[in-house]
Amino acid sequence: MDLSLRLLQALAAVAEDGSMTRAARRLNLTQQAVSGQIRQLERIVGTPLVVRLSSGIELTAAGQVVLKQGEALLSSAEAMMSEARMVGAARSEPLRIAFKAQSTAHFMPAVEAALRRQAPDLEVQPISSHTLPEEIEALVEGRADAAFLWLPIGDDPRFVIHPLLAEDRWVALPPGHPLSERNSLTIADLADVPVVGPREGMPEAVVSFWFIDPRPDGSRAVFGPEGRTPEECLHLVAAGHGCWIAPASTVTYFAHPRLVWLPLVDAPPNQLALMWAVHNPNPYLPLLLQETSRVLLPAN
């Protein structure tokens, strides 16, 4: 049986796009080539796999069976190649991970332990950073293979981004602030409160998200002094210069005698992602994603 993985890839693309033309664009092939691959697969299986309708192309019942089993074969082949690359790399290629301690302290040690179980010879090299530009720079310059960071980062096609988890947003206030006696806050409560945080050199989408600017009612956020790092932001808040909006993990990581933390109940959550450069050749990246997902999302 001459069953090629490329034939299964063609069927999967046609099933997802519902069109030979769109599937061909996805696969960087001509429409005739994709049609020929589908016909070849049908000859191998011995029954029609697709049906052409006015609304597009749909899979037959047999096509659904081949698609389901074929996706399992494609996934298995990808896992085989990844494992083979890791075995071939042995100790020669460490995995360098950029991270912010306050964002990853609750899971990164477990991820490293899981990596050691799966690849005992793998050397993990953590690279601590304090800001988004530092993490991006480490990836671009090749000093880090991957990074854990908060979205958004702006539109940047140089990277592969895998969202991992969502965290509620909290607000740091100085003791004695008029809002500090509340049990929780809304975005409207912060209408006149300056928000501290990094802005210089940040993409517009990043600033807009972190400062919640504009607000849901169309009003603009009040910008306080710039704090480049979490420590600088905490100092500015403690000194009475405004508030700081941060992920929930930050609350548990930083203990500060002159801060009050309150949940911001109606703000979109922060989303942590694992990211690496599109052309990074490190063979351990799929394993890092796999084990991180297992640690953070054990039910899945």
Side-chain angles (χ1 to χ4, degrees):
M1 178 178 61
D2 185 18
L3 178 58
S4 170
L5 292 179
R6 63 184 175 82
L7 304 182
L8 298 175
Q9 290 172 331
L11 182 67
V14 169
E16 183 168 347
D17 293 324
S19 163
M20 293 287 183
T21 302
R22 289 193 293 271
R25 284 198 295 265
R26 175 200 293 262
L27 298 171
N28 291 319
L29 297 172
T30 65
Q31 179 180 341
Q32 292 79 6
V34 174
S35 297
Q37 288 176 341
I38 297 299
R39 288 195 299 271
Q40 183 180 350
L41 185 57
E42 289 177 327
R43 287 195 298 270
I44 293 172
V45 177
T47 188
L49 302 179
V50 301
V51 58
R52 291 164 175 79
L53 305 173
S54 59
S55 57
I57 294 178
E58 293 185 2
L59 298 189
T60 64
Q64 293 287 353
V65 171
V66 174
L67 176 65
K68 179 179 179 180
Q69 299 296 332
E71 287 177 335
L73 287 173
L74 291 170
S75 177
S76 178
E78 183 178 345
M80 175 190 69
M81 297 298 292
S82 176
E83 185 175 351
R85 286 192 294 266
M86 286 188 292
V87 171
R91 284 184 177 273
S92 62
E93 193 155 10
L95 181 62
R96 301 160 300 170
I97 306 173
F99 70 100
K100 299 186 188 77
Q102 72 274 12
S103 304
T104 61
H106 57 298
F107 70 84
M108 194 164 167
V111 169
E112 185 169 345
L115 289 170
R116 286 197 300 270
R117 287 193 296 270
Q118 294 293 330
D121 291 332
L122 172 62
E123 177 188 357
V124 177
Q125 294 180 357
I127 301 173
S128 177
S129 65
H130 295 283
T131 67
L132 174 62
E134 285 180 10
E135 289 184 298
I136 297 294
E137 184 178 89
L139 292 175
V140 171
E141 294 181 354
R143 291 183 286 106
D145 298 301
F148 290 108
L149 43 71
W150 295 104
L151 300 178
I153 65 165
D155 185 17
D156 198 328
R158 295 174 297 176
F159 303 111
V160 177
I161 300 174
H162 300 278
L164 295 170
L165 60 82
E167 287 191 7
D168 293 335
R169 291 209 250 185
W170 287 61
V171 179
L173 293 167
H177 190 280
L179 297 175
S180 63
E181 299 300 320
R182 304 276 190 93
N183 293 321
S184 63
L185 297 174
T186 66
I187 297 173
D189 293 329
L190 302 179
D192 300 319
V193 182
V195 182
V196 306
R199 299 194 302 277
E200 184 177 355
M202 293 289 188
E204 182 179 348
V206 176
V207 175
S208 176
F209 179 83
W210 285 93
F211 287 81
I212 315 179
D213 179 59
R215 300 293 164 80
D217 63 1
S219 63
R220 302 304 301 269
V222 179
F223 291 102
E226 288 203 49
R228 189 181 65 90
T229 67
E231 291 82 1
E232 291 176 3
C233 291
L234 293 170
H235 170 79
L236 289 169
V237 173
H241 294 289
C243 72
W244 182 39
I245 304 172
S249 53
T250 302
V251 182
T252 57
Y253 186 83
F254 285 108
H256 197 293
R258 289 189 52 79
L259 287 180
V260 174
W261 285 100
L262 295 173
L264 190 58
V265 297
D266 60 345
N270 290 106
Q271 194 166 40
L272 187 72
L274 176 62
M275 186 174 88
W276 58 73
V278 170
H279 300 297
N280 188 293
N282 193 298
Y284 291 102
L285 291 173
L287 181 65
L288 173 62
L289 176 61
Q290 171 187 298
E291 295 308 313
T292 302
S293 299
R294 286 180 177 175
V295 168
L296 293 178
L297 306 169
N300 294 340

